[in-house]
Every structure is written in structure tokens, then in C-alpha cells.
């Protein structure tokens, strides 16, 4: 008796896209993507590089393909060494065929605006990136950063804080309703606290980190947010690719 879930290798890109777009409600939809070790670490030696494997990457690319915007907090952009948000040729071809712009918008969340305007994230961006920050930081933004990105104030009552509900609203206001968030843990914690997460795609890497790696969320603990499983797939290296949507 085989009790393991279906293998990603047996599925075409179209099959996978059908699976990953099932149960997506009309209107704004915020998907968060993470990889975790079996013992709950979101990184190994400081990054996710050793976790996930080729099928995780395949799905990761497909999720970018169908996104209007890829939303990432500044810590992850810095720690993971992000480059510009440039999709592969096959993804661009698919987007063109579906009437979408060639690449999603890259939106970066930062309170401090400690971002290098000379980095490839900005200088080689195919679409002008968005930087979502506090109202006060947006007001005092460096000319060099304002030159390469749209810097948007997203504060609520406190002009020094970034309000994640305003972040989501700023994306919706620009028509960016299909949101693919790639972390990291601090930002995910804020999204959970504000109950903004519609979906979590979580890859379980069959490894034990054993150290002090971070969890996939960090922050104040709100009430439990219940999620409903939609599917589980098996990828190369015996990773499990799980998909959950918010049980509302
Ligand atoms: N397992 C995975 O799938 C996965 C995914 C992503 C990241 N990671 C790992 O997570 C680690 C980084 O963790 P992290 O918690 O530092 O990541 P993070 O949430 O990406 O970054 C934290 C930084 O992002 C900005 N930020 C996040 N939430 C904010 C908020 N609510 N308001 C204002 N600014 C906010 C701030 O930037 P400023 O400092 O610029 O103000 C803050 O210092 C790395 O080891 C990375 O490899 C793992």
C-alpha cells in the first residue's frame, strides 16, 4: 500500500497551475510561500538555500508566474541576496499568452529604508519596484531610492510604523490583487496578526536543523488562525509540498 501523496514529477505545469489556483476567491488574494525543516526551522545556516530542492523551485516559479506582485520584506531581500524580479522565458511567454505584463511587480516592505538603490534589485528591474514603508520614512526618502522605486507610505495611526493592512490596500489600489508573498518570518507574523493571509503554500523539507533557526512566523501571538488543507504533493528529495487556505 502506497500512502505517499502524488508526485510533482507526474504533473505538467498546467496540472500544477490548476491545483494552485483551485479555491482562489475572486478579488484580492494573499498567498504566502515558505519552506520549513521537520523541526520547524525556516532556514539552515542563515538562508533557505539548502532547503526545498528542484520541485519546490519549480512550484515557486509557477507561483511567481501567476502573481501580479511578489511581496517580500527587506530582511529576506537582504539575507537571501535577492536580485531583480525577472521571470524565466517560459513564464514570460505564458504571461503574454494570458494578457499579463511580462513580469510581476516586486514590492519590498521596509521600515528603515535600508535598501541599496544601486543594487540589481533596482538597477536591473524590468518593472519599477514598489517600496512600502512608513509615512514618515516615505516623506524623508533619499533622492537616490526615489529615483529607482515608487516609495509608498503605508502607516495607520502611527506615522513611524508600517501598517500591513495599508500595505495590502496599497497593492489593491494599484490593481495588484494576486499577491505572492515570499516572507520573511517577521513580515509573515505581522500578516497573521492582521489576519490578512488567504493561503499558505508550505514545503516541508525532510531534514532536522537542530539549532536555533527561526520559525516561519515571528511576532505577537494573535488568536489561532485556522487553515484548511487543499493538497499535498511529493517532490524530488522527498519534500512535501502542502497548500492550505484560510478556513473562514
Ligand atoms: N523558510 C522560508 O521559506 C523563508 C522565507 C523568507 C525568509 N526566510 C529566512 O528568514 C530570515 C529573515 O527573517 P526576518 O524576520 O528578518 O525576515 P523579514 O520579515 O523578511 O525581514 C524583516 C525586515 O523586513 C522589514 N519588515 C518586516 N515586517 C515589517 C513590518 N511589519 N513593518 C515594517 N517593516 C517590516 C523590516 O525591514 P527594515 O529593517 O528595512 O526596516 C524588518 O527588519 C532569513 O534567515 C531568511 O533566510 C525563510
Amino acid at each position: 500500500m502506497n500512502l505517499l501523496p502524488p508526485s510533482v514529477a507526474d504533473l505538467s505545469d498546467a496540472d500544477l497551475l490548476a491545483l494552485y489556483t483551485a479555491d482562489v476567491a475572486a478579488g484580492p488574494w494573499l498567498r504566502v510561500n515558505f519552506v520549513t525543516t521537520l523541526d520547524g526551522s525556516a532556514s539552515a545556516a542563515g538562508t533557505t538555500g539548502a532547503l526545498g530542492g528542484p520541485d519546490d523551485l519549480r512550484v515557486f516559479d509557477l507561483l511567481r508566474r501567476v502573481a501580479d506582485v511578489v511581496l517580500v520584506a527587506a530582511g529576506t531581500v537582504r539575507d537571501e541576496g535577492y536580485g531583480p524580479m525577472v521571470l524565466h522565458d517560459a513564464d514570460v511567454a505564458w504571461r503574454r499568452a494570458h494578457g499579463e505584463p511580462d513580469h510581476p511587480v516586486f514590492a519590498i516592505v521596509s521600515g528603515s529604508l535600508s535598501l541599496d538603490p544601486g543594487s540589481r534589485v533596482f538597477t536591473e528591474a524590468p518593472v519599477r519596484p514598489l517600496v512600502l514603508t512608513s509615512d514618515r520614512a516615505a516623506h524623508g526618502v533619499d533622492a537616490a531610492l526615489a529615483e529607482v522605486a515608487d516609495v509608498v507610505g503605508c502607516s495607520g495611526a502611527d506615522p513611524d510604523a508600517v501598517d500591513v493592512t495599508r500595505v495590502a490596500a496599497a497593492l489593491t489600489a494599484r490593481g495588484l490583487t494576486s499577491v505572492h508573498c515570499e516572507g520573511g518570518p517577521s513580515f509573515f507574523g505581522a500578516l497573521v496578526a492582521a489576519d490578512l493571509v488567504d493561503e499558505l503554500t508550505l514545503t516541508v523539507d525532510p531534514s532536522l536543523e537542530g539549532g536555533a533557526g527561526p520559525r516561519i512566523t515571528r511576532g505577537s501571538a494573535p488568536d489561532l488562525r485556522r487553515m484548511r488543507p487543499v493538497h499535498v504533493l511529493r517532490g524530488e528529495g522527498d519534500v512535501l509540498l502542502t497548500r492550505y487556505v484560510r478556513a473562514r
Side-chain angles (χ1 to χ4, degrees):
M1 186 168 40
N2 178 14
L3 295 181
L4 289 170
S7 172
V8 173
D10 296 333
L11 300 171
S12 67
D13 285 354
D15 294 336
L16 285 169
L17 286 175
L19 284 171
Y20 279 90
T21 50
D23 278 15
V24 171
W29 185 263
L30 199 157
R31 167 183 285 146
V32 180
N33 180 258
F34 269 91
V35 61
T36 178
T37 64
L38 290 177
D39 56 343
S41 178
S43 66
T47 75
T48 56
L51 307 177
D55 286 328
D56 178 52
L57 265 182
R58 180 177 169 206
V59 168
F60 184 85
D61 286 341
L62 286 172
L63 297 181
R64 282 186 172 183
R65 176 190 284 191
V66 293
D68 294 329
V69 56
V70 178
L71 176 65
V72 192
T76 295
V77 172
R78 292 187 288 256
D79 292 352
E80 297 279 334
Y82 268 66
M85 191 52 59
V86 179
L87 301 197
H88 302 297
D89 291 348
D91 300 315
V92 172
W94 185 94
R95 289 175 67 96
R96 282 186 187 165
H98 288 78
E100 298 292 337
D102 285 5
H103 303 275
V105 175
F106 192 1
I108 301 169
V109 180
S110 169
S112 68
L113 294 186
S114 304
L115 299 165
D116 175 6
S119 82
R120 294 176 53 245
V121 167
F122 299 108
T123 58
E124 294 178 24
V127 182
R128 190 171 162 84
L130 280 176
V131 174
L132 305 160
T133 188
S134 69
D135 286 355
R136 201 182 304 278
H139 188 69
V141 64
D142 245 42
L145 187 60
E147 175 97 22
V148 294
D150 286 344
V151 181
V152 182
C154 296
S155 293
D158 178 357
D160 288 312
V162 179
D163 179 334
V164 293
T165 304
R166 299 282 174 110
V167 166
L171 299 178
T172 305
R174 285 164 176 73
L176 306 172
T177 53
S178 173
V179 183
H180 175 56
C181 175
E182 297 176 0
S186 306
F187 185 56
F188 187 25
L191 292 174
V192 172
D195 200 8
L196 287 170
V197 177
D198 296 305
E199 174 179 341
L200 173 64
T201 51
L202 179 66
T203 297
V204 181
D205 186 278
S207 59
L208 295 164
E209 190 255 351
R215 290 176 51 197
I216 64 169
T217 57
R218 182 185 302 136
S220 57
D223 295 340
L224 275 182
R225 309 293 189 209
R226 293 280 172 201
M227 306 293 286
R228 176 170 62 80
V230 184
H231 73 231
V232 182
L233 301 171
R234 183 164 44 98
E236 192 178 323
D238 290 324
V239 299
L240 295 181
L241 294 109
T242 73
R243 176 169 185 248
Y244 292 83
V245 295
R246 180 79 165 95
R248 297 202 189 266

